[in-house]
Amino acid sequence: MKQFIAFTKKEILEQIRSGKLFIILLIFIVVGIMNPAITKLTPWIMDLLSDQLKQTGMALPAVSVDAMTSWAQFYKNMPMAFIVFMIFFSGTFIVEFQHKTLINMITKGMVRYKIICAKMLVIAVLWTVGFWICYGITYGYNAYLWDNTIVNNLLCSAGMYWLCCVWIISVIPLASALFNSLGACLLMEAAAVFVPYLLQMIPKLSQYMPTHLMDSVNLLINATTPNDYLWAIIISIGLIIINMVVSIIVFNKKEL
């Protein structure tokens, strides 16, 4: 346990020293502010466009916005923030392999599975902190500017989206254990999302795909219920466990 805690502390310090921690937090803070800001500015922008289009004989309908509009913006902006996050942390293992910094630790008695678990824990915690900071900022502004009570299943919907992204993050150690190239890791992570997304288009398979959790935005308008995502939740958790176990098995056999 001491090895695990020590390595976890090392990982956290690395993220701080490299500046990644502050950059990621800044990105999520900016996105959290952008969601209500864009929503608030939309009617003003539409008014400007409407004035310009009147000269051509065209007219735009009046636009009204509320908390639901802002939360819809939250789910539109979050994928971009997550992609940036994945690009930042997909190379976490690769850098260690290329610089052979893990060899000294392992020769001194560091158990390999603790390296995988510690790195995954740090990445997952950073994602969790960033995601819920973004959520909290958006929630606070929406409560101040409009009324969050008009939105249904808000926390449940966000939690499902968060879980889906944790599943994608769990592919990082697996891809890193299999490949020594950042490009190959990114391709595997993209494929891990793309394949279930394609399978989700088959109606009978849709409810079983982890990517189905990204559709949890439909909970906000009661178009779906939390029970509709039960299988996707169970399978996502199962895949996270499988990814971690396979990562450890492959990493234990990997030459450093």
Side-chain angles (χ1 to χ4, degrees), residues 170 234-248:
S170 72
I234 294 171
I235 290 172
S236 295
I237 295 172
L239 287 174
I240 292 170
I241 295 170
I242 291 171
N243 286 342
M244 291 302 299
V245 171
V246 176
S247 299
I248 291 168

Side-chain angles (χ1 to χ4, degrees), residues 24 27-28 31 77-86 127 134:
I24 286 298
I27 289 170
F28 281 108
V31 172
N77 291 335
M78 189 50 65
M80 289 305 298
F82 183 64
I83 289 171
V84 173
F85 181 90
M86 289 296 289
W127 161 246
C134 183

Side-chain angles (χ1 to χ4, degrees), residues 20 52 78 80 92 94 149 163 213 220 231 256:
K20 283 184 180 180
Q52 294 176 2
M78 189 50 65
M80 289 305 298
T92 301
I94 302 301
T149 59
L163 177 62
L213 296 177
L220 304 184
W231 274 112
L256 300 177

Side-chain angles (χ1 to χ4, degrees), residues 19-249:
K20 283 184 180 180
L21 174 62
F22 303 108
I23 294 171
I24 286 298
L25 290 179
L26 180 61
I27 289 170
F28 281 108
I29 289 170
V30 169
V31 172
I33 295 170
M34 278 176 57
N35 299 322
I38 292 173
T39 303
K40 188 68 176 176
L41 291 172
T42 298
W44 176 73
I45 294 171
M46 295 301 289
D47 285 342
L48 288 178
L49 291 175
S50 180
D51 291 339
Q52 294 176 2
L53 290 173
K54 279 181 182 178
Q55 299 174 4
T56 63
M58 297 176 64
L60 292 175
V63 177
S64 61
V65 296
D66 53 22
M68 183 69 76
T69 314
S70 181
W71 283 113
Q73 196 67 45
F74 173 85
Y75 285 98
K76 288 179 183 177
N77 291 335
M78 189 50 65
M80 289 305 298
F82 183 64
I83 289 171
V84 173
F85 181 90
M86 289 296 289
I87 292 172
F88 260 75
F89 292 101
S90 289
T92 301
F93 290 87
I94 302 301
V95 173
E96 299 271 20
F97 296 153
Q98 291 177 346
H99 291 85
K100 301 185 181 299
T101 53
L102 296 177
I103 295 177
N104 289 336
M105 297 180 189
I106 291 172
T107 53
K108 290 178 180 178
M110 183 72 179
V111 184
R112 290 195 178 201
Y113 81 87
K114 293 181 180 180
I115 295 173
I116 291 283
C117 292
K119 282 184 172 288
M120 177 61 190
L121 176 64
V122 171
I123 297 172
V125 168
L126 289 176
W127 161 246
T128 301
V129 171
F131 178 85
W132 291 109
I133 283 176
C134 183
Y135 173 91
I137 292 172
T138 302
Y139 186 94
Y141 273 106
N142 288 351
Y144 176 75
L145 296 171
W146 301 290
D147 181 11
N148 280 319
T149 59
I150 68 170
V151 184
N152 302 293
N153 302 305
L154 193 51
L155 189 60
C156 182
S157 174
M160 289 181 186
Y161 195 99
W162 166 84
L163 177 62
C164 181
C165 292
V166 172
W167 157 65
I168 300 171
I169 289 170
S170 72
V171 180
I172 293 177
L174 177 57
S176 300
L178 290 170
F179 306 106
N180 290 326
S181 165
L182 176 58
C185 290
L186 289 171
L187 283 174
M188 182 174 175
E189 291 154 17
V193 179
F194 187 64
V195 172
Y197 183 78
L198 286 180
L199 293 175
Q200 190 180 330
M201 295 180 182
I202 303 173
K204 290 184 179 180
L205 297 179
S206 177
Q207 64 175 323
Y208 301 104
M209 295 297 108
T211 48
H212 183 46
L213 296 177
M214 288 191 172
D215 295 334
S216 60
V217 63
N218 293 319
L219 286 169
L220 304 184
I221 55 174
N222 277 339
T224 54
T225 66
N227 287 336
D228 294 329
Y229 301 90
L230 183 59
W231 274 112
I233 292 171
I234 294 171
I235 290 172
S236 295
I237 295 172
L239 287 174
I240 292 170
I241 295 170
I242 291 171
N243 286 342
M244 291 302 299
V245 171
V246 176
S247 299
I248 291 168
I249 293 171

